[in-house]
Amino acid sequence: MDTILISLAFALIAGLLMSRAAKLVNLPAVTAYLIAGLLIGPFCLGRLNIAGVGFNSLTQVGGFEIVSQTALGFIAFAIGNEFRLKDLKVMGRAAITVGILQAVITTAIVDLALVVLHFLFPSVISLSSAITLGAIAAATAPAATLMVVRQYKAEGPLTKLLLMVVAIDDAVGLVLFSVSFGIASALETGAISIVSVLVEPLLEIGCSLVLGVIAGLLLNWLEVYFHSRSKRLALAVAFVLLTVGFSSKTFVIGGVHVGFSLLLVCMITGTVFCNICETSEELMARVERWTAPLNMLFFILSGAELNLTVLSNPMVIMIGVIYIIFRSAGKFGGSYLSCLMEHTSKEIRTHLGITLLPQAGVALGMALTAANLSDGAMVRSVVLFSVLIYELVGPTLTKWSLTQAGEIKPEGRKSSREINQPDSKPAVTLK
């Protein structure tokens, strides 16, 4: 227990110090936390094997999965707060169109590139792995995007659409991966299962929606019985923990595996709650402040999980570079085309695709499933390589795009240290 607490404290301090250094070169705090995790991880400082100083192994980092999953639940809950009816009426149709089309187009482009690579060099990558990687390419990481938006207080139509699209992307990516992985498995075994390809992913989405709606309604029903801010905050935290816990449950009914999507359940919980509770905005703001250290730990642990051993395999790097190039082209081209269909503004068409590049947890989860393929280890290594690149570069590109679109304004507030000085004047907020 003492080593665990010291390790977490050391990780937080390292993240904070790195964020100060990152601010000097105008990098987002998310990137600083990821780099801090990389530095104190098992491939850098962790190699010293000093108890409490860094993470000594990937197994030790994996032991903190409960922290990462809980943080991801709060992040999804916060994203659900963006699906307010007033916003859905304005851009709900555009969000659904872009969310589906950009994912499908990205999968098609990456599939095409890797299938061609397979036919040119059959020994480099199998057809089943090429198809599976195409589906994994559709996944986008919502966590890094949300943290950049929060840090720089980005606001505007691009930001609104972006947060909706990354949420929808999770459900679309799940279906695309299930179908593609089913086809890939059929190519290797000669048998295809309709249950695993279509029934189970659709059932997972349906069950996640139902569980999220129930949790959102129950949270709103119980919230009225508590009037103090601290107790209402505790109730909201309890419900996020509850949904994260239930989302990890899996069971079998008549031979069909039933599970839940953590991101989807927590997102729907936040969506339902924010649309039926009149005081939800104030409560969500308090939850955001409460979870700041937890979110910081999430990215530090994500950085510590980045496996640098993949850089020692030239074949992985070659396939990874092809994957990154064509996935980036798919995200940019797919979002541009779908935005054009929805007649969005030029700023949204030009910059949305770049903000969809970050990739992390969801893709790694898919890669873990793909490990069952004949060369599944190659698939996992390619995804690890792409996550390493996207997580370090993606937040900075997201910040740049939102700034170019005019939705990140220069900060006009003073530091809390200055505000809390006895002789200081009230801070002035720049509109």
Side-chain angles (χ1 to χ4, degrees), residues 52 71 268:
I268 295 300

Side-chain angles (χ1 to χ4, degrees), residues 131-415:
I131 294 173
T132 303
L133 278 169
I136 295 176
T140 299
T145 302
L146 179 65
M147 293 302 290
V148 171
V149 168
R150 280 181 170 179
Q151 179 185 353
Y152 296 103
K153 295 179 173 55
E155 188 176 1
L158 172 59
T159 302
K160 287 288 184 185
L161 183 61
L162 169 62
L163 292 175
M164 291 183 184
V165 168
V166 295
I168 294 171
D169 192 84
D170 180 45
V172 179
L174 174 64
V175 174
L176 288 172
F177 176 76
S178 298
V179 173
S180 297
F181 183 65
I183 295 172
S185 299
L187 289 172
E188 295 195 344
T189 64
I192 188 168
S193 171
I194 299 298
V195 172
S196 61
V197 172
L198 289 177
V199 176
E200 289 182 351
L202 292 176
L203 195 59
E204 180 174 330
I205 292 173
C207 290
S208 299
L209 291 174
V210 171
L211 180 58
V213 169
I214 293 173
L217 292 173
L218 282 175
L219 175 57
N220 178 67
W221 177 64
L222 289 173
E223 187 265 345
V224 298
Y225 293 102
F226 302 95
H227 304 288
S228 72
R229 292 178 177 177
S230 58
K231 290 179 179 178
R232 291 170 63 237
L233 172 62
L235 181 65
V237 170
F239 261 80
V240 175
L241 295 177
L242 192 66
T243 51
V244 170
F246 272 112
S247 298
S248 64
K249 299 291 184 181
T250 57
F251 47 93
V252 180
I253 301 178
V256 178
H257 292 82
V258 181
F260 302 93
S261 166
L262 182 151
L263 286 172
L264 200 54
V265 172
C266 295
M267 183 194 73
I268 295 300
T269 301
T271 299
V272 172
F273 177 67
C274 77
N275 280 291
I276 60 179
C277 178
E278 295 180 354
T279 59
S280 64
E281 289 197 49
E282 179 267 338
L283 182 58
M284 295 294 274
R286 292 180 65 81
V287 170
E288 178 185 334
R289 291 193 292 271
W290 183 85
T291 57
L294 184 64
N295 293 337
M296 189 187 302
L297 274 176
F298 171 79
F299 288 103
I300 294 171
L301 290 171
S302 296
E305 282 183 316
L306 295 177
N307 193 335
L308 298 183
T309 59
V310 298
L311 299 177
S312 63
N313 189 336
M315 200 63 68
V316 168
I317 295 177
M318 183 195 75
I319 299 174
V321 169
I322 293 173
Y323 174 88
I324 289 172
I325 290 173
F326 284 93
R327 179 181 180 269
S328 302
K331 285 293 180 183
F332 183 81
S335 60
Y336 189 93
L337 179 61
S338 51
C339 285
L340 199 61
M341 292 172 58
E342 288 297 320
H343 307 290
T344 62
S345 67
K346 181 181 178 182
E347 285 74 19
I348 293 179
R349 292 198 304 270
T350 304
H351 299 292
L352 180 63
I354 299 175
T355 62
L356 296 174
L357 292 181
Q359 190 174 48
V362 177
L364 290 174
M366 293 176 177
L368 191 61
T369 302
N372 296 318
L373 297 173
S374 58
D375 58 347
M378 173 67 78
V379 173
R380 189 167 185 272
S381 296
V382 169
V383 174
L384 283 169
F385 174 74
S386 70
V387 166
L388 174 64
I389 302 301
Y390 278 128
E391 282 296 88
L392 294 176
V393 177
T396 301
L397 292 177
T398 299
K399 175 196 172 185
W400 178 84
S401 294
L402 292 174
T403 302
Q404 292 299 307
E407 299 193 6
I408 290 182
K409 304 293 192 301
E411 294 185 79
R413 58 185 177 85
K414 295 182 179 180
S415 72

Side-chain angles (χ1 to χ4, degrees), residues 114-153:
L114 294 180
V115 167
V116 169
L117 180 65
H118 162 73
F119 284 113
L120 291 176
F121 307 99
S123 61
V124 172
I125 185 172
S126 68
L127 184 59
S128 56
S129 293
I131 294 173
T132 303
L133 278 169
I136 295 176
T140 299
T145 302
L146 179 65
M147 293 302 290
V148 171
V149 168
R150 280 181 170 179
Q151 179 185 353
Y152 296 103
K153 295 179 173 55

